[in-house]
Amino acid sequence: MSLRIVVTVKYVPDATGDRHFADDLTVDRDDVDGLLSELDEYAVEQALQISENSDDDVEITVLTVGPEDAKDALRKALSMGADKAIHVEDDDLHGTDAIGTSLVLAKAIEKAGYDLVISGMASTDGTMGVVPALLAERLGVPQVTLLSEVSVEGGTVKGRRDGDAASEQLEASLPAVVSVTDQSGEARYPSFKGIMAAKKKPVESWDLSDLDIDEDEVGLENAYTTVDSAAERPARTAGTIVKDEGEGGKQLAEFLAGQKFI
């Protein structure tokens, strides 16, 4: 038997860089370095672990929607051990929101063929966390989200979802969509051999016409969600210094009480 896993990944601005918005209030990706979203690395890792623990022939495809530089995110996933990649790139995708992105991903997943879709719990730039559920709805398959542990056995995906007060054991018949949290296991570092091998792995490039999507279904003008305004974070101010001359504890307690921390 064979198992086709599609891992959705995102190319995001480096959180340590100087991030800001462009004139149209979309994220300015030209003036800051980008990388594979850290939370998506966990999804790639879980796909690799499923492959390593399976007796079936497993094929792992990583899929992203983004600009030309998004190929860097795909190469990182390929160097970790994924088999091939698909890059959906089209100028008309600029400004597409989560709902539009889920449409593009769903069409690409259907075109690629799949048994299991694995996503991170959220992207590190938008942090909406809704795409896995939207994907499941568009694909018409079960969703098992926010898993700390995941496995595939005999046509069924199983996993554990940890909450504040309890843990749930969940399962669904394939095909299905799952998302994994940052508690699912540390992602592996690409080896030198993996980095070199990634250069020879296939990366397909598709645009909207390849997916039979009209330009009026995506893009900034057709987004269901928009940013109305944005302002830079205020510069940090100097903190309050308490000089302890026997009354330091009292002053600290008063400060905390004044801030309603206690």
Side-chain angles (χ1 to χ4, degrees):
M1 296 181 62
S2 62
L3 177 65
R4 299 166 299 171
I5 300 177
V6 177
V7 184
T8 61
V9 299
K10 190 176 183 182
Y11 179 74
V12 300
D14 188 343
T16 63
D18 183 17
R19 296 171 295 170
H20 54 276
F21 287 101
D23 293 338
D24 61 0
L25 293 180
T26 60
V27 177
D28 188 344
R29 299 179 182 275
D30 294 331
D31 295 333
V32 62
D33 292 334
L35 40 72
L36 170 62
S37 176
E38 180 183 358
L39 292 175
D40 289 340
E41 291 186 16
Y42 295 99
V44 177
E45 176 62 31
Q46 290 309 304
L48 294 171
Q49 290 193 25
I50 290 172
S51 178
E52 292 166 354
N53 295 325
S54 176
D55 294 328
D56 297 332
D57 181 17
V58 181
E59 180 182 68
I60 300 173
T61 302
V62 285
L63 165 66
T64 196
V65 177
E68 172 66 24
D69 289 343
K71 282 188 173 66
D72 291 344
L74 295 176
R75 290 297 179 191
K76 173 68 178 294
L78 291 172
S79 67
M80 290 172 66
D83 299 304
K84 62 180 184 178
I86 298 171
H87 179 202
V88 181
E89 179 188 8
D90 197 299
D91 290 342
D92 289 324
L93 286 169
H94 174 73
T96 301
D97 63 359
I99 295 176
T101 298
S102 72
L103 170 64
V104 179
L105 287 172
K107 291 284 190 178
I109 290 167
E110 290 177 328
K111 181 179 175 68
Y114 74 102
D115 298 299
L116 178 64
V117 179
I118 305 180
S119 301
M121 60 188 290
S123 63
T124 53
D125 56 351
T127 63
M128 294 185 68
V130 299
V131 168
L134 292 171
L135 271 181
E137 176 66 20
R138 290 191 183 277
L139 294 171
V141 300
Q143 58 168 306
V144 187
T145 53
L146 300 176
L147 299 181
S148 301
E149 183 180 275
V150 60
S151 63
V152 175
E153 301 175 16
T156 301
V157 59
K158 301 179 180 181
R160 188 187 77 244
R161 179 191 292 155
D162 296 324
D164 292 336
S167 294
E168 302 172 281
Q169 295 292 334
L170 306 170
E171 65 177 59
S173 298
L174 298 180
V177 173
V178 306
S179 68
V180 298
T181 72
D182 54 357
Q183 301 301 309
S184 58
E186 287 297 323
R188 68 193 66 188
Y189 289 102
S191 64
F192 177 75
K193 181 179 179 181
I195 293 172
M196 298 305 294
K199 296 180 179 181
K200 299 180 180 180
K201 293 180 179 179
V203 178
E204 293 189 59
S205 295
W206 296 344
D207 59 19
L208 292 179
S209 64
D210 293 315
L211 302 176
D212 295 324
I213 297 175
D214 294 329
E215 61 182 40
D216 60 1
E217 296 180 89
V218 295
L220 184 61
E221 293 184 359
N222 303 297
Y224 286 81
T225 57
T226 59
V227 177
D228 291 330
S229 63
E232 291 189 11
R233 179 184 298 174
R236 287 189 175 184
T237 57
T240 301
I241 299 175
V242 175
K243 188 175 181 181
D244 187 6
E245 295 180 344
E247 297 289 326
K250 181 180 178 181
Q251 293 181 59
L252 177 58
E254 291 174 349
F255 173 79
L256 293 174
Q259 299 296 320
K260 297 184 179 181
F261 291 144
I262 58 174

